Amino acid sequence: MVEKHRSLYDVVKRQLLESQRPTYLHRLVYIGSHRFVESPTVYEFFESIVRNVNEKATDASLSGFLLYYARLFVHMVEGPEVLILRHLRRVYSCVEAGEERLGDMRVLIACHHIRQPFFTQWMGHTARPPTLLEDIDPLCSEEVTWRHIKTCLAKMYKLADHLNYQPAATLSHALDHLSETVPTLLPEFGLLKFLQHCKNLLDLREYLNVYLNGCTRKSYSELVWPIQKGDVPLHLLDPEQYRFLCDMDVMTT
């Protein structure tokens, strides 16, 4: 009887500990092209998806910021990993259902277990970015390419920080006047166009597939040594194919 009560006590204790476990937050920033004009706009398209995800979430929600221009956008999404992935699945469900106004999308940065999000809600706005003084050479070196990636991310982080410190009463005014007040924090159209075709950046669909298509193993095959080659996701371990930035890399720019 004592052992039975002790077992029940252990179960309840474990459940209480799990209920108090923090929800780890993540940040995903990706860029893409679009052909939305109206009914819906690109803002309305993503707003609908984020709202749908948040309405069905129980203990957390997505926050972030969508900066969009004509034909290009940058999207920062923050929240629990499961909600970010749910958001991406809904985006590609629309694409597979025939939504042709979304073009290729690429991951700029994926940060896991961030200390705190930039935003407490999801929002978006358009702006008129400055023009690059010189066109970016599409055949530039890898070192120059990564410098452009860091520049874009640094602008987005500083823009997020700028909006984060705006009082709620003046936030709408601040969003309407981004082009006049903080033009240097807006990634240039030419910069986004270059990055949207950058082969050093992981395609967003491939990023999602990493989570959706796990490796399947036969029974007891984990006991076999050496591990079968077909069970190892070698394409994810190749350092020469893709490199990833972290928050510290961006903050030191």
Side-chain angles (χ1 to χ4, degrees), residues 44-133:
E44 293 169 338
F45 172 80
F46 281 109
E47 180 192 37
S48 175
I49 290 177
V50 172
R51 183 174 62 249
N52 186 274
V53 170
N54 285 342
E55 286 176 349
K56 296 183 179 180
T58 55
D59 58 347
S61 62
L62 291 179
S63 61
F65 183 69
L66 173 72
L67 176 65
Y68 60 97
Y69 309 145
R71 302 192 301 278
L72 292 171
F73 67 86
V74 190
H75 197 185
M76 178 184 294
V77 187
E78 302 173 318
E81 190 172 41
V82 64
L83 296 188
I84 292 178
L85 297 177
R86 192 174 300 166
H87 151 76
L88 295 181
R89 286 198 299 268
R90 292 186 183 278
V91 169
Y92 280 108
S93 292
C94 292
V95 173
E96 292 165 1
E99 178 55 76
E100 299 179 350
R101 288 171 291 185
L102 272 181
D104 293 336
M105 293 173 280
R106 295 187 181 276
V107 177
L108 279 181
I109 193 169
C111 299
H112 304 287
H113 298 187
I114 60 177
R115 299 182 64 178
Q116 65 180 35
F118 281 116
F119 300 96
T120 58
Q121 61 180 327
W122 186 90
M123 66 184 80
H125 214 279
T126 189
R128 298 184 307 278
T131 303
L132 284 175
L133 297 178

Side-chain angles (χ1 to χ4, degrees), residues 6-39:
R6 181 178 294 120
S7 177
L8 179 59
Y9 170 80
D10 291 339
V11 171
V12 173
K13 181 180 179 181
R14 184 170 63 251
Q15 290 176 342
L16 286 173
L17 290 174
E18 290 177 351
S19 67
Q20 297 171 3
R21 184 176 300 163
T23 300
Y24 293 107
L25 299 179
H26 307 260
R27 178 183 298 119
L28 177 68
V29 184
Y30 61 93
I31 61 174
S33 62
H34 72 90
R35 295 190 298 277
F36 289 93
V37 179
E38 56 184 17
S39 300

